[in-house]
Amino acid sequence: MAEKNVRGQSAERPQWPKRAVVTAGMPYGNKALHFGHVGGVFVPADCYARFLKDRIGADNVLFISGTDCFGSPINEGYRKEVEAGQFEGTLSDYVRRNHDRQKATLDAFDVELSVFEGSGLDLCGEKHQEFTTQFITRLYENGFLQKRESLQFYDPERETFLNGRQVLGHCPVQGCKSEKAYADECDLGHQFAPEELINPVSTLSGKAPELRPVANWYFDLPAFKDQISEYVDECEARGDRPIVAQTIREFLGAPIIFVNTRDDAYERYLALADKLPAHQYREPSKGKQSFELEFATIDDRDVARDILMAEGIRIRTGKTLVPFRITGNIEWGVKAPDLDGQTEGLTVWCWPESLWAPISFTQAACSYAGKDDESYRAFWEDPEAQVYQFIGQDNLYFYGVAQPALWIAAQNHDDSAENPRPGVLCQSKLIANYHLLFGNTKASSSGAVKPPSADELLNYYTAEQLRAHFLALALDQKSVGFKPKPFDPDESVRTNPRVADPVLKEGSLLTKVFNRLARSCLYEAKNHFDCTMPLGPVSPELVSQVQKVMAKYEQTMAKVELHSIMTIMDDFIRKANKYWSDGAKRVANEDPDVDRRRLLVDSFYLLRVATLLMHPVVPRGCKKICDYLQFSPERFFSWEGEFASLEELCTPEEVAAGSHVVKELPPRTDFFEAHPSQFKK
């Protein structure tokens, strides 16, 4: 790929892909978006997608997401609203209503997706069903699916099998303290067998459910341990966020059972040891109250688990690779193919199908663009393409453990001359963020203090103020508290005019400094140059400084350190504004060493670069600046060029005339507005 040129950058340039897909996960279709969805995933993903469009061309980038229409949270949310008399209609109507609300919220936050539909809605839903059938069939034909009989919770009082969210208990995974665990996963992303769940309770009846056998298809995830390990090595080698490799490696350990030493457990274990599959015993490590039993395979571990539990011995299982469930028997779901003529009527568990949903959604996006379904391969199979997936840290098991293995397992192994496309899916670059807290704790709609929805925030802040703040929070490094003053539970803080609102820190850069720079340039052009931008060479030292900033910005974007982007831009915009202000004062004082025309040439140059670099962060205001400068957005918001002056954006006639006409700026015009609630009454 030919590098797009930015002259004067001596630092090593990042290598960008020819094409890119950016994803932002898929919010469940059971509720509106909360601020964590928007601030922790969608805004960062949108910022990065916009940067990539500017950097490698808008036609080469797809930003994909949509509503996850299936899964137990949707079933359970629908049931509760219907029983409470809060909703009338079908389950499909319920999902559609929530999807429309999610889409409206994303639009309000200037999140611009190539497609945002649903796994069971519209064209994306159709493509998704087709691709799911093809993908699962390929896994089966390649020999990586196993039909296994497993236990599923059944509520005898309600006479029904329970979906995942209709069972609550404590997580059985060693070291996990979650008391919000469902049928086979906890709210921290740990996977386990249903029979391991501690103290299960049916949410329908409030009683302990039974376990009954059902047959489903499972993906042989443990068979891909070596390939997953190689994928982790690649993540580390290219400098991905440390939490990615750290979390994935936790699941690459051997199958282990931790046995609590209380209640004569060791003596009881010794009496059973000969009945257990071959294993290695390890004494409790210092400070621990459990000894360890390590097994060669997950099946051996499960046999031992059943024997130990049958004897009432208290155990926990360690994180390891376990068979990954593909199907279930819940009616509301993507239909699974009947692979052996004996499993008709199964649906696909929502997690695996949500992993390949971005691929089927890419097919839909290509269709909307007038291309055929196979066009998705240019984004998902070309070695010169890259997929960037923005996710929450809790979902790393699915995207970082299960997904890489599924991609390898599903490739077409027929690489004969008749079939020159082996269909190898590109592995993703995972952009995992920590939790966006509300105050100092994890946001919870069931807590004493209700966190605001994303929509409620727009009653107090503009979308651009919030976007800038969310991006500055450094969620790549740690969980960070979101502390909007209007929602502070402490009334003395909420009502005190002398207490600053931390959310407005980045917003003031927009509404005060960036506004002032843009207005000053345009008013000066109106007052002294007849609404034209003077053209000519920019001061060489300024060009050198700007191109160093652009190099640093690009290198930072390559590492997806968006909080550092905000730091770079805060410094750059303030210095650009000071350059104008200092020069304007000297012009007003008739300093012979300062030329008004040269000052404005330099200042418009600084404004152009600031607007380009802030475009991914605050696109609405930057587009308005571009409109007043009267340049084509496609050309203005592009990294194609030398960035030595604004002449490269102008026609030869304008360059010869030494000026470019700009739109007249009315008095008191803002490019970045404060929210009406922020004005003193």
Side-chain angles (χ1 to χ4, degrees), residues 394-414:
D394 292 351
N395 294 331
L396 273 168
Y397 172 81
F398 299 105
Y399 289 94
V401 178
Q403 179 176 287
L406 285 166
W407 277 199
I408 296 168
Q411 75 180 66
N412 186 347
H413 292 281
D414 177 11

Side-chain angles (χ1 to χ4, degrees), residues 252-272:
L252 298 180
I256 293 176
I257 291 177
F258 297 86
V259 183
N260 194 291
T261 56
R262 289 185 293 179
D263 302 325
D264 301 321
Y266 178 67
E267 289 74 15
R268 295 164 69 193
Y269 150 72
L270 288 177
L272 295 169

Side-chain angles (χ1 to χ4, degrees), residues 74-88:
I74 290 92
N75 295 63
E76 190 67 356
Y78 173 70
R79 180 188 68 81
K80 288 180 177 179
E81 287 204 25
V82 169
E83 289 183 359
Q86 297 171 343
F87 186 80
E88 293 182 1

Side-chain angles (χ1 to χ4, degrees), residues 647-664:
E647 291 184 350
E648 64 189 24
L649 296 175
C650 300
T651 65
E653 294 76 15
E654 289 175 321
V655 173
S659 64
H660 166 81
V661 176
V662 297
K663 190 184 299 184
E664 182 176 347

